[in-house]
């Protein structure tokens, strides 16, 4: 056997072995690393602004880490017990609701058949029970798995700090590994940056803002279990097509049926505002960015949740988006884009 050929085979075997071992080594914390990278991307504009003033990458990144700790970790520390308590209340209350009578009251003309009403009410009752039970268990695990969560948070902040500080070096390193030509590489990075901003800022951040606005209405007008409803509104706002109305409409109806007309109208007004602000914020963020079709985002989010959990809300659409970007570059056609739309021009 040729000596040079033997060396290449040996090198390839060693490289593949090390890659496989590294994957199994990093696999338990891979989601935390990805969270750190995503948060670094989100906070990059803030970091850039702070670094212009301080002119020190290390100090600027450290300050942003403290800011992130204050904005995300501290509210979670104080609000998680409240959310658990409210989820327990909702679970107990759901066991006592007569869904058949409720459905007949809201939709009297539709639920005229007693058998259909009982069957449909049973399905709704089962769905609500399983959903509230799953939410309660998920929130409880946050406390039970506290030591493990602390270690994951350490990895998140460690990754966040170094990606934020050394992102230019990291990008250059990634570029050096890509097998594409310089032209394709440039198009790939420009489109990837645009689509990432569209998904994270245009869909995730805007959805969170929508949910928070609806949540303010829940708190101001004393909706029951306002914190839990706010979390659900945020989740609904993040999903395209679904929106926050899937939460505030039933809450308004519930308050109205209960005779709380003033509270119902207040929640309704905040809900309408939360849904309509999407038409203002989203065009500002993505008007000149590469955009992704909403149906593809929805499919990516749903599939992402099944595969990656809550992280899939971001990772699912981005995986599909990057695939579509590469396919569009490969097509290199002038025909209209279906799934990936280029930036709008004026």
């Amino acid at each position: 056997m040729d000596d040079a050929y033997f060396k290449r085979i040996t090198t390839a075997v060693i490289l593949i072995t090390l890659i496989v071992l590294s994957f199994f080594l990093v696999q338990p914390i891979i989601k935390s690393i990805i969270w750190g990278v995503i948060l670094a991307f989100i906070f990059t504009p803030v970091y850039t602004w702070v670094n212009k003033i301080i002119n020190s990458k290390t100090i600027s990144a450290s300050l942003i880490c403290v800011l992130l700790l204050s904005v995300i970790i501290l509210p979670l520390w104080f609000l998680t017990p409240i959310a658990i308590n409210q989820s327990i209340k909702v679970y107990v209350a759901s066991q006592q609701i007569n869904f058949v009578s409720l459905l007949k009251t809201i939709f009297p003309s539709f639920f005229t058949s007693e058998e259909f009403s009982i069957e449909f009410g049973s399905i709704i009752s089962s769905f609500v029970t399983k959903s509230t039970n799953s939410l309660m268990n998920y929130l409880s695990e946050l406390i039970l798995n506290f030591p493990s969560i602390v270690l994951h948070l350490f990895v998140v902040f460690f990754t966040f700090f170094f990606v934020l500080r050394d992102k230019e070096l990291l990008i250059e390193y990634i570029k050096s590994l890509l097998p594409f030509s310089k032209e394709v590489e440039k198009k790939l990075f420009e489109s990837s940056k645009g689509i990432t901003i569209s998904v994270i800022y245009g869909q995730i951040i805007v959805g969170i803002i929508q949910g928070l606005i609806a949540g303010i209405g829940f708190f101001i007008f004393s909706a029951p279990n306002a914190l839990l409803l706010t979390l659900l509104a945020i989740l609904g706002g993040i999903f395209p097509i679904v929106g926050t109305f899937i939460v505030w409409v039933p809450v308004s109806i519930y308050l109205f049926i209960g005779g709380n007309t003033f509270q119902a109208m207040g929640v309704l007004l905040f809900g309408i505002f939360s849904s309509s602000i999407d038409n203002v914020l989203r065009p500002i963020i993505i008007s000149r960015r590469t955009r992704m079709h909403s149906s593809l985002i929805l499919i990516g989010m749903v599939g992402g949740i099944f595969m990656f959990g809550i992280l899939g809300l971001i990772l699912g659409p981005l995986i599909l988006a990057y695939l579509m970007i590469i396919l569009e570059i490969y097509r290199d056609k002038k025909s209209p884009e279906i799934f990936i739309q280029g930036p709008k021009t004026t």
Side-chain angles (χ1 to χ4, degrees):
M1 182 182 291
D2 183 70
D3 187 56
Y5 179 76
F6 176 77
K7 287 182 178 180
R8 286 198 298 270
I9 293 295
T10 305
T11 302
V13 170
I14 293 173
L15 180 61
I16 293 172
T17 302
L18 289 174
I19 290 174
V20 172
L21 290 175
S22 297
F23 171 77
F24 285 109
L25 180 70
V26 176
Q27 192 267 338
I29 58 172
I30 188 66
K31 290 183 180 180
S32 301
I33 295 172
I34 295 172
W35 271 120
V37 174
I38 291 172
L39 289 171
F41 184 89
I42 293 173
F43 281 84
T44 291
V46 182
Y47 165 79
T48 304
W49 178 75
V50 172
N51 193 47
K52 285 182 180 179
I53 299 173
I54 299 177
N55 197 26
S56 172
K57 291 184 176 182
T58 302
I59 296 176
S60 299
S62 300
L63 289 175
I64 302 303
C65 280
V66 174
L67 173 65
L68 180 64
L69 182 67
S70 303
V71 170
I72 297 179
I73 306 303
L74 293 181
L76 285 177
W77 176 267
F78 290 107
L79 295 178
T80 298
I82 299 174
I84 292 174
N85 183 48
Q86 292 189 1
S87 65
I88 294 173
K89 289 181 179 179
V90 172
Y91 177 77
V92 173
S94 67
Q95 305 303 302
Q96 302 171 350
I97 297 175
N98 188 336
F99 286 97
V100 176
S101 300
L102 182 63
L103 291 171
K104 286 184 176 181
T105 303
I106 300 174
F107 308 103
S109 60
F110 188 73
F111 293 95
T112 54
S113 171
E114 187 67 24
E115 292 182 1
F116 177 74
S117 300
I118 293 173
E119 186 68 26
F120 197 83
S122 176
I123 294 172
I124 296 295
S125 177
S126 177
F127 172 76
V128 172
T129 300
K130 288 181 179 179
S131 299
T132 52
N133 189 37
S134 298
L135 179 62
M136 185 173 59
N137 291 336
Y138 178 79
L139 293 172
S140 299
E141 287 176 3
L142 293 179
I143 294 178
L144 295 175
N145 299 324
F146 182 74
S148 175
I149 290 173
V150 169
L151 290 176
H152 281 286
L153 285 176
F154 176 78
V155 175
V156 170
F157 277 94
F158 184 83
T159 307
F160 174 74
F161 174 84
F162 284 102
V163 172
L164 202 61
R165 190 189 68 175
D166 303 324
K167 61 181 182 300
E168 290 88 359
L169 296 174
L170 184 61
I171 291 172
E172 289 302 319
Y173 179 75
I174 293 173
K175 285 182 177 180
S176 68
L177 296 175
L178 294 176
F180 305 116
S181 64
K182 291 295 182 180
E183 181 182 355
V184 172
E185 184 182 285
K186 181 181 178 182
K187 290 173 66 176
L188 180 63
F189 268 80
E190 287 178 353
S191 299
S192 298
K193 182 180 179 181
I195 203 71
T196 305
I197 289 175
S198 297
V199 170
I200 293 179
Y201 286 100
Q203 195 64 48
I204 306 297
I205 301 300
V206 170
I208 291 173
I209 293 172
Q210 288 181 277
L212 290 175
I213 292 172
I216 291 172
F218 298 148
F219 279 99
I220 290 177
F221 296 99
S222 303
N225 304 306
L227 178 59
L228 189 60
L229 291 173
T230 301
L231 295 176
L232 294 175
I234 289 173
L235 189 61
I238 289 174
F239 275 95
I241 303 172
V242 177
T244 57
F245 70 88
I246 199 172
V247 179
W248 59 260
V249 168
V251 173
S252 300
I253 295 173
Y254 173 80
L255 291 172
F256 184 77
I257 292 174
N260 303 308
T261 307
F262 177 72
Q263 287 90 336
M265 292 302 297
V267 169
L268 183 66
L269 289 174
F270 269 87
I272 292 173
F273 179 62
S274 73
S275 296
S276 60
I277 200 172
D278 167 76
N279 299 322
V280 177
L281 292 179
R282 205 184 305 274
I284 294 174
I285 296 171
I286 66 173
S287 61
R288 295 186 178 276
R289 301 284 180 183
T290 304
R291 290 160 294 132
M292 190 175 177
H293 197 279
S294 58
S295 62
L296 205 61
I297 295 177
L298 183 61
I299 291 171
M301 285 183 173
V302 174
I305 287 177
F306 283 113
M307 189 170 185
F308 303 106
I310 194 69
L311 179 61
L313 288 173
I314 300 175
L315 209 54
L318 289 181
I319 290 174
L320 291 181
Y322 297 154
L323 171 63
M324 292 301 167
I325 287 171
I326 293 176
L327 290 178
E328 288 297 323
I329 292 174
Y330 172 77
R331 285 192 332 129
D332 196 24
K333 300 279 182 72
K334 296 296 183 180
S335 57
E337 306 95 335
I338 299 175
F339 300 111
I340 301 294
Q341 294 93 38
K344 290 182 179 181
T345 57
T346 57

